[in-house]
Amino acid sequence: MAKTKVLVTVKTYPTLSQKYDELVCTAGFLEDGSWIRVYPVPFRKLDTRYKKWQWIELELVKNDSDPRNESFRPYDYEDITLGEVISTKNGWAERKKFALTKVYTNMSELIQEAKNRAIGTSLAVFKPSVVIDFIWKPCAREWDEKKVKAIYARAAQGNLFDTEEEKEVKKLFKIVDKIPYEFSYVFQSEDGIKRTLMIEDWEVCALYRRYVNEYHMSEIDACKKVREKYLDEFAKKRDLYFFLGTTLKHHFISKNPFIIIGTFTPPLAQPQEPSLFDLNYE
């Protein structure tokens, strides 16, 4: 089976699955600029394997349990070839070639595309007209107990064919921390409708954990610092775009099936100094 080349641009924060342990949704661009979703991806296998904006090559097959057009699953989780990491040189020019190939600006039109089974768009780059706020609210503080017990039970099981490294990983196995807050952007698009979309990007959750665990901030102070980063810096000082994705459960039934699965924040274009030849003399 031939390998597919994917430029990874999205890694969501892990969720728990009784079947696969911790799962991460990975998405990115193919060489032709079209979107692809790689799911499910076991977090413990792949978290340290690749970075965002890195080319990877792996064998993929259509995910039969997921009707969304862009959804594929790895054929072999271990057989992944790592490639170049695209830099941010020249104002993120190389990254823009992929991220800004097709940008949506009207949320209502994007939702219609998602609901249209002939099109079924489930991944998109989106540019909000106005970012109004970045908010947080409390959510469940702990993972589902039944799922946690099932995962730890599997981790404790020995396998005659485990390598020494795999055995050591099982000894040290610890489920990733649950984030007790949900973060969301409040914004408007060209349709003029005010919307609130949750963001499930790995980086927003990792930033919160860093403020709490490394800087020993209170939870509320950590949330305020996350807001400062995503609102005061990304929305006001950079050129902010959302990477949007639908959830499988809500794709065809929810009024708005999209969530924010990542952000793209190149620097704002610098105004060019006019030359003598550009000036209008009377």
Side-chain angles (χ1 to χ4, degrees), residues 225-238:
K225 290 295 288 183
V226 172
R227 181 179 185 270
E228 183 179 308
K229 181 77 172 180
Y230 278 76
L231 183 66
D232 296 342
E233 181 178 341
F234 287 174
K236 297 179 180 179
K237 298 178 181 179
R238 302 187 75 84

Side-chain angles (χ1 to χ4, degrees), residues 206-252:
L207 185 62
Y208 168 85
R209 289 176 62 191
R210 184 180 181 191
Y211 286 134
V212 171
N213 297 333
E214 295 183 27
Y215 294 95
H216 308 292
M217 291 184 177
S218 70
E219 291 183 355
I220 297 304
D221 284 343
C223 288
K224 289 179 179 178
K225 290 295 288 183
V226 172
R227 181 179 185 270
E228 183 179 308
K229 181 77 172 180
Y230 278 76
L231 183 66
D232 296 342
E233 181 178 341
F234 287 174
K236 297 179 180 179
K237 298 178 181 179
R238 302 187 75 84
D239 191 14
L240 174 64
Y241 298 82
F242 300 153
F243 290 150
L244 300 183
T246 65
T247 58
L248 175 59
K249 181 178 179 181
H250 298 108
H251 183 93
F252 290 112

Side-chain angles (χ1 to χ4, degrees), residues 87-100:
S87 76
T88 57
K89 291 181 180 178
N90 301 319
W92 298 32
E94 189 67 19
R95 295 186 180 189
K96 286 180 179 180
K97 282 167 51 177
F98 290 92
L100 304 186

Side-chain angles (χ1 to χ4, degrees), residues 51-64:
K51 302 174 182 178
K52 288 177 67 173
W53 293 100
Q54 182 172 23
W55 284 105
I56 64 173
E57 292 185 55
L58 69 170
E59 295 177 348
L60 293 171
V61 293
K62 188 70 180 76
N63 190 336
D64 294 333

Side-chain angles (χ1 to χ4, degrees), residues 252-269:
F252 290 112
I253 61 175
S254 177
K255 184 177 180 181
N256 183 355
F258 286 96
I259 59 173
I260 301 170
I261 55 177
T263 56
F264 183 62
T265 58
L268 290 167

Side-chain angles (χ1 to χ4, degrees), residues 192-215:
I193 300 173
K194 179 180 176 181
R195 290 184 170 88
T196 300
L197 283 190
M198 186 169 64
I199 178 169
E200 290 193 353
D201 183 23
W202 166 265
E203 290 173 349
V204 70
C205 296
L207 185 62
Y208 168 85
R209 289 176 62 191
R210 184 180 181 191
Y211 286 134
V212 171
N213 297 333
E214 295 183 27
Y215 294 95

